[in-house]
Amino acid sequence: MAGTVRFFALILIACRVLLTDASFQPALVLDMAEILLENYCFPENLVGMQEAIQQAISSGEILHISDRKTLAGVLTAGVQGALNDPRLTVSYEPNYTPITPPALQSLPTEQLIRLIRNTVKLEVMDNNVGYLRIDRIIGQETVAKLGQLLHDNIWKKVAHTSAMIFDLRFSTAGEISGVPYIVSYFSDSDPLLHIDTIYERPTNTTMALWTIPNLLGERYGKRKELIVLISKRTMGAAEAVAYILKHLKRAIIVGERSAGGSVKVEKLRVGDSGFYITVPVARSVNPVTGQSWEVTGVSPSVIPDAIVLAEDAVERAHEIIAFHKDILDLVQEAGDLLEKHYTVPEVAAKVSRLLQSKLTEGLYRSVVDYESLASQLTADLQETSGDHRLHIFNCDIEPESLHNIPKIPSPEEVGFIIDALFKVEVLSGNIGYLRFDMMEDIKVLGAIGTQLIKVVWNKLVNTDTLIIDMRYNTGGYSTAIPLLCTYFFDAQPLKHLYTIFDHSKTNVTKVMTLPEVLGQRYGSQKDIYILTSHITGSAAEAFTRTMKELKRATVIGEPTIGGAISSGTYQIGNSILYASIPNQAVLSAVTGKAWSVSGVEPHIAAQASDALNVAQKIISSKRQKKKIREI
């Protein structure tokens, strides 16, 4: 009822603003409301309308407007705004005479043939691509009358093409009853498909539209390439065809957003006046989406998969058809790379089979370029494997990660690198604070080691407690993890940190602390706190997890990202697509099981922004308790 009250409120406000002359009778609104209640295709939106009208009339708020065309505009604005339906219009046409055009099927055969010739164009283009343009979709009775002629002169000439461009850019009229015929030619005969449901309000009846079991001639089927072109002029039955084929995942839609039409509208006289209201009397409900191809609010209904200007749509369709010829090899190559390199072979095989299955079923049909293919592949890989680290991306320039060779800094660059990566401070109470934002390669650390010990480590090694801040460290090289961990354990015995299984090389490496390091060790007794955030990942996360599992540090902050200690970057064929695949499984030194991809859970949960304060409070509290025990 809220919508209808708003409807009449809008009318009353507009009336008050525009005119205050008197002669309009409230009966007009009552008659208009009765028409809507009996004919509008969304009756559920009109609940409470009569009560709202009576309240408005009884309150005396309805003002009188003498200018009928002005009143028609006010009523139109009110009803459209209240029901959010731009198809509802009110007009004042005292001399209007309804004209009912003759039914198409009743026209002489010769006239029908001329009409079809003027509204259908066809061509077999290069590479056996069919082009079929239909500017008016004819209904089932006309199809029955001209079926053999349509087949012999139109369909037969394009049915054997290997791909088709179906052009509906100029289709502005048509009959809904013809939609099942078109959809059926682009579907298999079995099973029959429920493609639409039409509800008609005046008769309160519902009709389900299904594909047709028997057709003249050969079907195009559901396997061959189909591109449907639409424009901002595409309306009505053509929109229904495009919407249905899109959501059956049978066709790619290319062009502009469609006009936004209706199944059926009627222009109905309001009482005995010269006012008429145009009302959508039927609506469509798609069985796949539960929604309609019709206009919704002020938005057009059919949105293309590839949005281009209407005049560029044919060229774009040819590009997509050419691109699709490569998809088979690209998807197969992605699956092969996964099976060759991914750390969990049984999962890799499962995902590879799924990609092949989706490809066979045509579920990559909506892909229109490398970017959309990368997005679809990534979603499928991650959903099936449960591993968010699997990623496909497109890159016009060969990514540096493909080679992953660390750059050894020059002597002049050493100081800059240390300043950029490390922040050091001794806090009150002789608490060391070390923040570093990237895990460098072991060779780089070797090159800067002497100066790093002098500028960074010597300031911290004699502190009583150390806070290591990894909140801003998204990862880097894992080769330096053993070196970093070594500083926090005793020289003997060597400590088993974790074990690496490399699927690509099929070898196992046991990672241990190092027997010797530059400078002094921090040792195994003093407390260490590691701060984390939701972006702490890759090698930084592996360092944190190792220190936590070996009970050498207390972790404070947010769960980490769940990244891979090592991911390889592999080119997919000769394309601009690349796969980032975790190629090493890390086995816990404590449990012997593979590390989870869900990230490191902190010992003490805290917002990343508050983690340092929390650590300092814990350190202070621990010292206070120690003093009390000593007393």
Side-chain angles (χ1 to χ4, degrees):
M1 180 172 175
T4 53
V5 172
R6 178 171 171 251
F7 162 35
F8 289 104
L10 284 172
I11 293 178
L12 295 173
I13 292 169
C15 290
R16 185 180 294 113
V17 171
L18 291 170
L19 291 169
T20 56
D21 295 339
S23 66
F24 162 57
Q25 298 299 320
L28 181 66
V29 176
L30 290 170
D31 290 340
M32 189 171 71
E34 185 176 354
I35 290 173
L36 289 171
L37 286 166
E38 293 178 356
N39 296 278
Y40 184 48
C41 61
F42 290 98
E44 62 272 18
N45 293 349
L46 301 172
V47 175
M49 171 176 277
Q50 289 180 320
E51 293 86 345
I53 294 172
Q54 292 297 341
Q55 289 176 16
I57 293 174
S58 301
S59 69
E61 290 189 62
I62 292 185
L63 304 178
H64 304 288
I65 299 177
S66 59
D67 184 89
R68 299 313 196 199
K69 291 189 179 295
T70 298
L71 177 59
V74 170
L75 292 172
T76 295
V79 73
Q80 287 183 357
L83 298 176
N84 195 29
D85 193 334
R87 299 170 297 176
L88 290 162
T89 58
V90 180
S91 60
Y92 179 67
E93 303 174 70
N95 300 317
Y96 173 72
T97 302
I99 299 175
T100 304
L104 201 61
Q105 67 273 11
S106 67
L107 296 175
T109 301
E110 296 76 12
Q111 190 173 343
L112 278 174
I113 292 172
R114 284 197 301 274
L115 183 145
I116 290 171
R117 282 176 178 168
N118 290 330
T119 58
V120 176
K121 293 180 175 59
L122 59 90
E123 179 184 354
V124 177
M125 299 176 159
D126 293 342
N127 301 315
N128 199 31
V129 175
Y131 172 82
L132 177 61
R133 169 179 161 181
I134 296 179
D135 295 349
R136 181 189 181 98
I137 293 176
I138 58 176
Q140 60 180 345
E141 293 181 352
T142 308
V143 171
K145 187 174 183 177
L146 298 178
Q148 193 64 52
L149 185 144
L150 293 171
H151 173 264
D152 295 345
N153 291 276
I154 297 173
W155 183 245
K156 191 176 180 181
K157 296 180 180 180
V158 294
H160 294 287
T161 54
S162 56
M164 185 177 294
I165 298 172
F166 185 26
D167 193 347
L168 297 175
R169 290 176 295 172
F170 310 96
S171 186
T172 58
E175 298 175 62
I176 291 296
S177 64
V179 170
Y181 285 89
I182 293 176
V183 175
S184 296
Y185 273 103
F186 296 111
S187 307
D188 291 341
S189 58
D190 184 50
L192 297 181
L193 303 175
H194 179 198
I195 59 174
D196 207 351
T197 298
I198 307 297
Y199 169 70
E200 190 160 340
R201 174 58 184 159
T203 58
N204 198 31
T205 57
T206 299
M207 177 178 65
L209 301 184
W210 291 75
T211 51
I212 299 168
N214 300 309
L215 296 170
L216 276 176
E218 182 181 352
R219 294 172 187 256
Y220 209 68
K222 67 177 186 179
R223 300 293 181 189
K224 292 194 284 187
E225 193 83 66
L226 176 62
I227 310 286
V228 177
L229 310 185
I230 62 174
S231 73
K232 59 188 176 184
R233 298 172 58 191
T234 305
M235 182 179 289
E239 287 182 284
V241 169
Y243 190 88
I244 290 167
L245 290 173
K246 173 178 179 175
H247 291 289
L248 286 176
K249 300 187 186 301
R250 175 62 189 91
I252 292 175
I253 313 301
V254 175
E256 301 166 335
R257 294 187 176 193
S258 63
S262 303
V263 175
K264 184 180 180 182
V265 295
E266 290 186 0
K267 191 171 184 176
L268 304 170
R269 188 176 181 184
V270 182
D272 295 327
S273 71
F275 287 89
Y276 290 83
I277 181 168
T278 299
V279 182
V281 297
R283 76 184 194 222
S284 156
V285 180
N286 184 277
V288 176
T289 66
Q291 299 175 344
S292 173
W293 52 267
E294 299 170 88
V295 65
T296 303
V298 295
S299 302
S301 303
V302 184
I303 301 175
D305 299 296
I307 299 177
V308 296
L309 293 175
E311 56 264 33
D312 297 328
V314 173
E315 180 182 355
R316 184 72 179 99
H318 281 293
E319 292 173 353
I320 292 171
I321 291 171
F323 175 69
H324 275 200
K325 291 180 180 178
D326 297 330
I327 287 183
L328 174 64
D329 291 339
L330 292 172
V331 174
Q332 288 178 338
E333 176 69 14
D336 291 344
L337 287 172
L338 201 66
E339 291 195 65
K340 183 177 180 181
H341 298 288
Y342 187 52
T343 56
V344 189
E346 59 274 19
V347 173
K350 173 186 173 184
V351 176
S352 183
R353 288 194 300 269
L354 172 87
L355 296 183
Q356 290 298 319
S357 174
K358 286 198 167 191
L359 190 66
T360 303
E361 294 171 11
L363 298 181
Y364 283 94
R365 187 172 282 134
S366 61
V367 167
V368 296
D369 51 26
Y370 283 111
E371 184 177 359
S372 56
L373 177 58
S375 177
Q376 184 64 53
L377 281 171
T378 297
D380 288 339
L381 293 178
Q382 293 183 357
E383 180 181 357
T384 308
S385 68
D387 190 341
H388 64 274
R389 302 171 302 174
L390 285 167
H391 183 65
I392 309 293
F393 61 96
N394 62 301
C395 188
D396 292 324
I397 302 173
E398 186 175 85
E400 292 182 7
S401 56
L402 195 63
H403 306 291
N404 210 32
I405 299 174
K407 181 180 180 297
I408 304 302
S410 66
E412 294 76 17
E413 293 173 325
V414 170
F416 173 78
I417 290 175
I418 291 174
D419 289 342
L421 295 184
F422 299 93
K423 292 179 174 58
V424 181
E425 186 177 352
V426 177
L427 305 174
S428 176
N430 200 28
I431 300 169
Y433 172 82
L434 170 63
R435 168 181 162 181
F436 59 106
D437 296 346
M438 180 180 174
M439 302 289 282
E440 268 296 0
D441 181 71
I442 187 68
K443 293 179 181 178
V444 174
L445 291 183
I448 67 174
T450 301
Q451 194 164 346
L452 186 62
I453 294 294
K454 178 181 178 182
V455 176
V456 175
W457 187 238
N458 286 344
K459 294 179 180 179
L460 301 170
V461 71
N462 293 316
T463 55
D464 297 329
T465 304
L466 182 62
I467 297 173
I468 303 175
D469 193 344
M470 308 291 276
R471 291 177 293 175
Y472 312 97
N473 195 321
T474 57
Y477 296 89
S478 62
T479 51
I481 294 175
L483 173 63
L484 296 174
C485 288
T486 297
Y487 280 94
F488 305 110
F489 292 95
D490 296 333
Q492 291 296 331
L494 299 182
K495 199 75 173 176
H496 178 200
L497 302 176
Y498 49 82
T499 299
I500 294 177
F501 168 68
D502 192 311
H503 178 54
S504 302
K505 301 174 183 177
T506 63
N507 63 10
V508 176
T509 304
K510 195 172 183 179
V511 179
M512 310 289 292
T513 54
L514 306 180
E516 296 180 358
V517 289
L518 283 176
Q520 181 183 345
R521 294 173 186 253
Y522 203 72
S524 61
Q525 300 304 312
K526 292 187 287 187
D527 288 342
I528 297 173
Y529 296 85
I530 300 177
L531 312 183
T532 60
S533 75
H534 67 279
I535 66 170
T536 305
S538 182
E541 184 176 48
F543 169 75
T544 302
R545 188 187 292 271
T546 301
M547 295 288 281
K548 178 186 178 184
E549 283 196 342
L550 297 178
K551 302 185 186 304
R552 186 61 194 92
T554 300
V555 182
I556 300 173
E558 299 168 343
T560 60
I561 196 171
I565 191 172
S566 175
S567 286
T569 300
Y570 309 95
Q571 186 176 14
I572 301 178
N574 294 317
S575 72
I576 61 171
L577 289 182
Y578 297 85
S580 178
I581 301 175
N583 52 17
Q584 292 181 345
V586 183
L587 309 180
S588 168
V590 177
T591 66
K593 296 180 180 180
W595 280 355
S596 166
V597 300
S598 60
V600 180
E601 287 290 335
H603 291 101
I604 300 166
Q607 293 290 327
S609 58
D610 198 36
L612 179 58
N613 289 332
V614 172
Q616 289 177 292
K617 288 178 181 177
I618 291 172
I619 294 168
S620 176
S621 175
K622 191 171 183 179
R623 286 179 175 176
Q624 289 294 329
K625 290 179 181 178
K626 184 179 179 181
K627 286 181 180 179
I628 292 172
R629 285 198 302 270
E630 290 174 350
I631 295 172

